[in-house]
Amino acid sequence: MKTRIKKLKNRYPLHIQITVLFTFLIVSIGCIIILFSHTRLTKLTEVSTHQQYQKTGEAIAAELDSVTRNMAMSVDILTKMPITAAQTEAQRMALVSNFIMVLQQNHYASSVYSAYQNGDFFILRRLTDQNRALFNAPASAQWLAQNYRFDLATPEKKEFYLDNKQNVISSATVPYDNYDPRSRKWFTLASAEKGLITSPNYIFKGTGETGFTYSQQADNQHAVIGLDVSLASLSAFLQQQGLPPGSQAAILSESGEVIASQPAQIRGNTGVGNLPVLQPLFTQDNAGNSRLFSVDNQDWYGAVINIHSMGNDYRLAIATPSAFLTADASAISNRSTLIAFLLLLLSLPVIWYFSRRISRPLISLRKDAEAISNLHFEVEDHAGHSSVIEEVDDLHTAMAKMKLTLTKFISMGSMLTVKNNFTQQMQGLLTETTEIADMTGGMVFLANQDMNLFTPAAFRWREENIELTGISPLEIDNDRCSEFWQIVKGQTISGTLTQESLPAPLLTFFRPHLPLRYVAVPMQTHDNQLLGFLLLFNTRTLTDTHENAKIQLINSLVGMLSVAIEAQHLLVEQKNLMNAFIKLIAGAIDEKSAYTGGHCQRVPVITKMLAKAAVESREGPFAGFTLSENEWEELHTACWLHDCGKITTPEAVVDKATKLELIYNRIHEIRMRFELLKREKEIAFLREHAGQPADSAQAHALNETLRQLDDDFYFIARCNIGSEFLSDDALVRISQIAGYRWTRTLDDTAGISREELVRKQRLPQPALPVQEPMLADKEEHIVYRDGTSKQADRYHFKLKKPELQYNYGEIYNLAIRRGTLNDEERYKINEHIMQTIIMLENLPFPRTMSNVPVIAGGHHERVDGKGYPYQLNYTQMSVQVRMMAIADVFEALTAADRPYKPGKLLSEALNIMVSMVNEHHLDRDLFILFLQSGIWRDYAQTYLEPEKTDSVDIAALLAKIAPQPVEDIFCEVSPA
């Protein structure tokens, strides 16, 4: 009990340790506090800034009040002084000290002047660092007086530079700039109204600065006194108010003109539009209120403050970057964050310690899961990965068991691909099944065609594979092995085997181990056909619950065995079906023509004999040649299908034994024409001599004519056979005989097919009776190529295609020099190889037989590249293709069923093949192997008639073969 309590104290649920770990996350509370402090400090800064805005507004109001009052008083005093009545330059310069005193008392004023009704103008300007260069003022000059005389014949302008003691340093007459004060706004306003006038903002003509003017008409009404105020001077005052760094501000008049700004505005532009940061503050009434706004992705804090001064209303707009408001708050937040970070660093060792204790077994589980996902199932020692967390430790144990089970399942799947060896598959699957199910042993029985008879296929006992020698099949019925009868019905059974219930074939082996618990599970196809059954044994006694669970597991595992067995059966059935189908096609081709029967069956025999000889060769060019099991099957299929394209070749072409033969031999038509012509000659003779008997000379002439006709017919008949080469004289005689005429009185379009009728209708029909030639090449004899089938064109065959599809012309066919086939028919015969390739390319051969179309379609190629249909040369032809070419030629030469020739003697055939080797038609090395291995002899003994099997001198044949290397062939045939 104490041990159990101690064990429980050392192991805690996972959620308790997670709670301990997340206690350290209280640091997040510090983040919340920091965020709250930052927000409050920012708010306090906003309030402080707004208060500063109010104070700035008050200071500006006081300053504007003072400036306005002083300037108004100065202007009013000047309107009463003699300067307003001064007419001459000397008088005005004598009173310049009054102007200097006014500028000295008003720091924001840039100039003071008097404008007269006659257009004269006298002005005193303050010289500053900004305008000194503009007026080219001497270094010691402090004031600039300018006098405009407008009442002279030629108006003039004169400048006087004065030092700080009001002494004239220099004077000069300068070009008149056409300035007329009477046209200025400040002049016209002051002339029209009484009292002080404040002009709108405008650009000063002399300096180009922006500002406004205080002006008032003199008491004598002969002049107007003006005082210029530059906005730049007011802006300088605004910049001295100590606004927060980066702030922008502007003072606007009641009319909305900017009279001062920070930063200073562009010269000449006095609108708020030149200050985009401040513009949003005027979109609504914000007087006295502060708000946050954004301009060009930058946040600002600003306000608009109303100012009242000397009866005038002004507005002060101020904006400060929000970053300034949060600077102090951010600094405090940063310090707080740094403190929190230091505390976190101090707590890291504690967190690391606990996390390592928790994560170590979890990391191990993660690695196990990754290994399983990568199908890596190495079993590791579980003891080194124990965890104090109860759930994690149990999970690790379950993971180890799962890895072991998956390993067995993967192994069972691998067994299905063991070199297609069915016995190894069965034995391997049985091994994995017994280990997963934790059984002592087991056997696999396969059902024979008689479903009651079961043959053992695999046997395992106590981790050892047992030989099946001596174990006979089980016959299961109601009388024998009745315990297993339910297996035949597809039911799983279990029970105990004793000496009385154990089947006799198993008694010898299992007698020492009885009694045995067993489980028998049927193996079925997907459509519930019985394949056999799995019999598992167990020497241990299990509870009913445990045994039922084991039976369910075995039922799940037996599917692997069923799949393997069904796949094996299907594979065998498919191969048998394919072989039968291949032989069916080959047999149909051979049966199609009585003259070529057996060709498709004999070529595979010769080819495989030659391939076997090449594989068994231990020296020479084929010492390293081998064929895998798949390549043997590929060669077998290609041989049987090498002429499958002949199924598309018309029998009339394949079986054409004479030159005039179509579906029948047209020599009979020719014979009837000769017969008819002979009768016509006789009838004409008899009609001519009906009244008077013919003399002996005339009778002799008739007999000679008839004899000549007989001789001509027999000549045509001999030409029709095609067994001899046709000479030029024979061609001339055919043309002469063709000129004979016979009389046709019946319509030759009656009773013919529609196709033949269409051909006859190409030309108009002559009126009957008509004189017909004995032999003719008529338009109706020509079958044009219609071009409807373009399938072969996409294969890029190099076999030249004749212009016509068929030419049945009588003279044309009788004039064939050698054999019985014309060019069109010979192309049709050769076309079978193209059809073979097309047909085979369209079949979905498996990957292991992908070369069947290449091998089957290449047996008419030549090693010198002059064959067909692709004109492949030696380097482009595989060994299998060259083997089949030799087999095809040898079978064709020795076959006794050709329509145009009898079979050759064995020696004649081999001599012809030697010539073909020397002409670079056949492969030299393979033909030498063909001769030396005796394949020709073995084949002849089985397939040739005894009279065709004569003696052959192999040494002499080998001596005739030219010793020319293959690589020299291409130099010979090269077009260069």
Side-chain angles (χ1 to χ4, degrees):
M1 185 67 180
K2 290 183 178 181
T3 304
R4 181 171 179 82
I5 293 175
K6 182 178 180 182
K7 181 177 181 182
L8 289 174
K9 287 183 177 179
N10 291 333
R11 301 178 63 190
Y12 303 94
L14 179 62
H15 69 276
I16 295 178
Q17 297 203 27
I18 291 178
T19 302
V20 174
L21 176 62
F22 275 88
T23 301
F24 293 97
L25 296 181
I26 298 176
V27 175
S28 60
I29 299 175
C31 297
I32 297 174
I33 295 174
I34 292 171
L35 181 61
F36 179 77
S37 300
H38 183 275
T39 304
R40 296 303 301 167
L41 286 172
T42 301
K43 189 65 178 177
L44 289 174
T45 305
E46 290 179 3
V47 173
S48 174
T49 303
H50 184 71
Q51 292 175 352
Q52 185 178 2
Y53 289 171
Q54 295 291 345
K55 292 180 180 180
T56 302
E58 294 171 0
I60 291 174
E63 185 69 16
L64 288 175
D65 189 50
S66 174
V67 169
T68 304
R69 184 180 295 106
N70 291 338
M71 291 188 178
M73 290 176 60
S74 298
V75 171
D76 185 63
I77 292 172
L78 289 175
T79 59
K80 298 176 174 56
M81 296 185 71
I83 189 66
T84 60
Q87 299 294 322
T88 64
E89 176 184 299
Q91 292 173 346
R92 294 167 185 169
M93 286 299 296
L95 298 171
V96 73
S97 60
N98 295 329
F99 280 9
I100 292 175
M101 181 179 63
V102 170
L103 291 180
Q104 287 176 339
Q105 293 175 352
N106 298 280
H107 300 293
Y108 297 109
S110 61
S111 61
V112 61
Y113 42 82
S114 177
Y116 301 93
Q117 293 293 340
N118 64 352
D120 283 0
F121 183 67
F122 182 73
I123 182 171
L124 177 69
R125 299 181 186 276
R126 190 197 307 273
L127 291 176
T128 64
D129 294 338
Q130 288 75 25
N131 64 12
R132 186 176 296 276
L134 178 65
F135 296 112
N136 295 319
S140 60
Q142 295 295 320
W143 311 98
L144 169 61
Q146 294 176 322
N147 184 52
Y148 289 76
R149 293 291 305 275
F150 192 74
D151 57 348
L152 299 178
T154 301
E156 71 172 12
K157 175 183 177 182
K158 196 169 183 181
E159 294 181 346
F160 300 89
Y161 291 99
L162 292 80
D163 59 14
N164 56 359
K165 295 181 179 180
Q166 303 181 12
N167 296 322
V168 176
I169 300 174
S170 65
S171 62
T173 302
V174 296
Y176 188 71
D177 54 9
N178 297 322
Y179 180 75
D180 187 352
R182 295 170 296 180
S183 63
R184 310 304 283 185
K185 192 74 173 178
W186 53 267
F187 188 94
T188 57
L189 290 174
S191 299
E193 299 180 17
K194 294 183 179 181
L196 183 68
I197 299 299
T198 304
S199 73
N201 291 348
Y202 69 98
I203 299 174
F204 298 154
K205 181 175 179 62
T207 61
E209 294 178 312
T210 301
F212 60 90
T213 300
Y214 290 116
S215 60
Q216 184 174 338
Q217 190 175 33
D219 291 345
N220 59 14
Q221 297 185 354
H222 293 304
V224 173
I225 299 299
L227 187 66
D228 286 344
V229 180
S230 172
L231 297 186
S233 60
L234 289 176
S235 297
F237 165 73
L238 185 60
Q239 294 171 6
Q240 296 170 3
Q241 299 306 307
L243 294 175
S247 296
Q248 294 191 16
I251 301 174
L252 279 72
S253 67
E254 189 173 0
S255 62
E257 292 184 306
V258 177
I259 63 174
S261 66
Q262 175 186 345
Q265 284 189 305
I266 299 173
R267 179 175 294 179
N269 193 336
T270 61
V272 74
N274 194 41
L275 298 170
V277 172
L278 300 177
Q279 193 171 8
L281 292 173
F282 297 98
T283 58
Q284 57 185 353
D285 188 10
N286 289 301
N289 297 322
S290 302
R291 69 185 183 98
L292 284 170
F293 60 95
S294 178
V295 176
D296 294 336
N297 298 323
Q298 184 178 0
D299 294 330
W300 295 80
Y301 177 79
V304 176
I305 300 171
N306 293 328
I307 300 174
H308 302 280
S309 174
M310 293 293 293
N312 295 319
D313 292 328
Y314 301 92
R315 286 185 295 172
L316 170 64
I318 307 176
T320 302
S322 62
F324 169 77
L325 304 180
T326 60
D328 293 338
S330 298
I332 294 174
S333 297
N334 291 338
R335 288 194 293 271
S336 300
T337 303
L338 178 60
I339 294 172
F341 179 72
L342 293 175
L343 291 175
L344 182 61
L345 286 179
L346 294 175
S347 63
L348 278 178
V350 179
I351 297 175
W352 180 86
Y353 172 75
F354 280 96
S355 64
R356 287 296 297 171
R357 291 197 63 186
I358 294 174
S359 64
R360 187 179 297 112
L362 292 176
I363 292 173
S364 176
L365 286 173
R366 178 181 58 80
K367 291 180 179 178
D368 287 347
E370 289 178 354
I372 291 174
S373 67
N374 294 322
L375 303 183
H376 180 69
F377 302 109
E378 288 187 5
V379 180
E380 300 177 358
D381 183 15
H382 173 61
H385 302 289
S386 59
S387 173
V388 295
I389 303 175
E390 183 177 0
E391 293 86 350
V392 174
D393 193 62
D394 292 342
L395 179 61
H396 206 289
T397 302
M399 184 73 76
K401 292 181 179 179
M402 182 176 68
K403 288 172 63 177
L404 182 61
T405 303
L406 285 175
T407 301
K408 299 300 180 182
F409 268 105
I410 296 298
S411 180
M412 291 182 70
S414 301
M415 291 298 172
L416 297 177
T417 59
V418 178
K419 299 180 180 178
N420 296 325
N421 189 312
F422 184 66
T423 302
Q424 290 185 16
Q425 286 181 357
M426 290 297 99
Q427 193 64 60
L429 290 171
L430 177 61
T431 299
E432 301 301 338
T433 302
T434 55
E435 291 184 3
I436 293 175
D438 194 20
M439 301 296 281
T440 307
M443 297 183 71
V444 175
F445 289 90
L446 300 181
N448 294 355
Q449 291 183 349
D450 182 358
M451 299 302 293
N452 293 336
L453 191 64
F454 296 85
T455 303
F459 187 9
R460 185 172 179 82
W461 183 258
R462 297 191 187 279
E463 301 182 354
E464 292 184 7
N465 297 330
I466 309 301
E467 293 290 337
L468 295 172
T469 305
I471 301 179
S472 57
L474 298 182
E475 188 172 356
I476 300 176
D477 53 28
N478 290 327
D479 299 327
R480 286 162 292 198
C481 300
S482 58
E483 294 81 1
F484 300 107
W485 175 245
Q486 290 177 308
I487 287 291
V488 179
K489 299 180 180 180
Q491 298 179 9
T492 299
I493 59 175
S494 63
T496 302
L497 290 174
T498 63
Q499 188 165 346
E500 290 76 19
S501 60
L502 187 68
L506 307 179
L507 189 58
T508 303
F509 182 86
F510 287 106
R511 182 180 284 115
H513 308 291
L514 297 175
L516 281 175
R517 291 293 296 172
Y518 75 92
V519 177
V521 184
M523 298 181 298
Q524 297 175 320
T525 65
H526 64 282
D527 54 354
N528 298 325
Q529 294 295 316
L530 187 63
L531 297 170
F533 68 92
L534 171 65
L535 182 60
L536 295 178
F537 309 101
N538 194 359
T539 57
R540 299 183 300 274
T541 302
L542 303 175
T543 64
D544 291 342
T545 303
H546 195 182
E547 187 169 281
N548 290 334
K550 195 175 288 294
I551 291 174
Q552 291 180 1
L553 176 61
I554 295 170
N555 277 322
S556 301
L557 296 175
V558 80
M560 288 285 190
L561 288 163
S562 300
V563 169
I565 297 170
E566 184 177 11
Q568 183 70 16
H569 286 182
L570 290 175
L571 182 62
V572 172
E573 290 173 357
Q574 286 179 351
K575 285 186 177 181
N576 291 339
L577 176 62
M578 185 172 181
N579 286 330
F581 184 69
I582 291 170
K583 292 181 180 180
L584 175 67
I585 294 176
I589 295 169
D590 287 341
E591 288 297 325
K592 181 180 178 182
S593 170
Y595 297 104
T596 59
H599 173 76
C600 291
Q601 302 176 41
R602 293 191 290 266
V603 168
V605 174
I606 303 171
T607 305
K608 288 191 281 188
M609 291 172 67
L610 184 55
K612 184 173 181 293
V615 170
E616 294 176 351
S617 178
R618 294 295 176 266
E619 57 184 16
F622 303 102
F625 179 75
T626 59
L627 288 176
S628 65
E629 183 178 349
N630 289 333
E631 288 172 329
W632 273 110
E633 185 176 4
E634 186 177 60
L635 180 62
H636 168 82
T637 303
C639 290
W640 277 92
L641 294 176
H642 80 283
D643 270 348
C644 66
K646 282 186 178 179
I647 202 168
T648 65
T649 307
E651 291 91 335
V653 177
V654 176
D655 298 344
K656 187 179 181 185
T658 64
K659 297 179 181 180
L660 292 175
E661 185 171 344
L662 290 179
I663 302 301
Y664 71 101
N665 191 347
R666 291 183 294 166
I667 192 64
H668 303 301
E669 284 189 29
I670 307 301
R671 183 174 64 251
M672 288 303 296
R673 294 176 196 169
F674 274 96
E675 294 282 4
L676 180 60
L677 185 57
K678 288 172 66 178
R679 298 301 179 270
E680 289 180 353
K681 297 290 186 183
E682 291 177 348
I683 292 170
F685 179 81
L686 292 175
R687 286 176 177 173
E688 182 181 354
H689 299 286
Q692 182 180 0
D695 56 22
S696 59
Q698 291 173 328
H700 177 74
L702 174 61
N703 291 331
E704 186 63 27
T705 299
L706 297 179
R707 187 198 61 76
Q708 183 62 45
L709 288 174
D710 290 344
D711 186 62
D712 289 339
F713 169 72
Y714 289 119
F715 168 73
I716 294 297
R718 288 194 302 274
C719 292
N720 187 40
I721 299 299
S723 59
E724 298 178 358
F725 179 79
L726 209 61
S727 65
D728 293 338
D729 292 339
L731 295 178
V732 173
R733 186 175 179 185
I734 290 173
S735 298
Q736 292 173 347
I737 295 173
Y740 296 169
R741 297 284 173 171
W742 61 279
T743 304
R744 178 170 63 84
T745 61
L746 297 175
D747 186 359
D748 63 354
T749 64
I752 64 176
S753 67
R754 190 178 69 85
E755 182 180 354
E756 187 177 359
L757 179 61
V758 170
R759 296 204 303 269
K760 281 184 175 293
Q761 290 177 345
R762 295 173 186 166
L763 297 176
Q765 297 297 313
L768 298 176
V770 63
Q771 290 289 309
E772 293 276 6
M774 180 63 69
L775 304 172
D777 289 341
K778 298 182 180 180
E779 178 65 24
E780 65 194 60
H781 289 149
I782 295 176
V783 179
Y784 291 103
R785 207 173 281 281
D786 57 10
T788 56
S789 177
K790 297 292 184 181
Q791 185 179 13
D793 294 344
R794 65 187 179 90
Y795 289 87
H796 307 293
F797 296 123
K798 297 181 180 179
L799 190 61
K800 185 177 180 181
K801 185 186 297 185
E803 181 180 357
L804 302 177
Q805 185 169 356
Y806 293 111
N807 190 338
Y808 302 141
E810 296 165 343
I811 301 174
Y812 176 75
N813 279 275
L814 286 171
I816 296 172
R817 292 277 191 172
R818 189 185 298 277
T820 63
L821 300 177
N822 58 37
D823 291 344
E824 289 77 15
E825 292 163 338
R826 192 169 299 282
Y827 175 81
K828 195 64 180 177
I829 289 290
N830 293 341
E831 193 181 30
H832 82 276
I833 196 63
M834 296 189 291
Q835 294 301 324
T836 295
I837 294 174
I838 293 172
M839 292 168 64
L840 296 181
E841 286 283 359
N842 287 320
L843 289 178
F845 284 107
R847 175 183 52 82
T848 56
M849 300 178 68
S850 59
N851 290 322
V852 167
V854 177
I855 299 173
H859 64 279
H860 283 297
E861 301 287 356
R862 295 170 46 134
V863 295
D864 60 2
K866 295 181 180 179
Y868 64 91
Y870 286 120
Q871 296 183 357
L872 303 178
N873 58 42
Y874 177 88
T875 60
Q876 296 169 316
M877 299 166 61
S878 66
V879 176
Q880 294 93 315
V881 171
R882 287 178 266 144
M883 287 177 178
M884 193 182 297
I886 290 176
D888 190 71
V889 170
F890 181 67
E891 195 285 329
L893 290 174
T894 57
D897 49 13
R898 293 298 184 267
Y900 46 85
K901 66 174 183 62
K904 302 288 185 183
L905 290 172
L906 186 58
S907 59
E908 291 177 337
L910 293 177
N911 272 288
I912 292 173
M913 293 180 73
V914 168
S915 300
M916 295 176 73
V917 170
N918 291 334
E919 292 170 1
H920 314 309
H921 187 140
L922 301 176
D923 184 285
R924 177 179 181 273
D925 294 329
L926 277 175
F927 184 68
I928 292 174
L929 178 65
F930 179 80
L931 294 177
Q932 292 177 340
S933 62
I935 295 172
W936 54 274
R937 184 189 309 108
D938 298 338
Y939 175 82
Q941 291 173 355
T942 304
Y943 294 95
L944 298 187
E945 298 176 358
E947 60 270 19
K948 296 294 183 180
T949 309
D950 58 346
S951 62
V952 178
D953 187 352
I954 295 299
L957 291 174
L958 292 173
K960 292 180 182 180
I961 298 175
Q964 184 179 32
V966 172
E967 52 268 19
D968 292 344
I969 295 173
F970 308 117
C971 298
E972 250 182 49
V973 301
S974 173

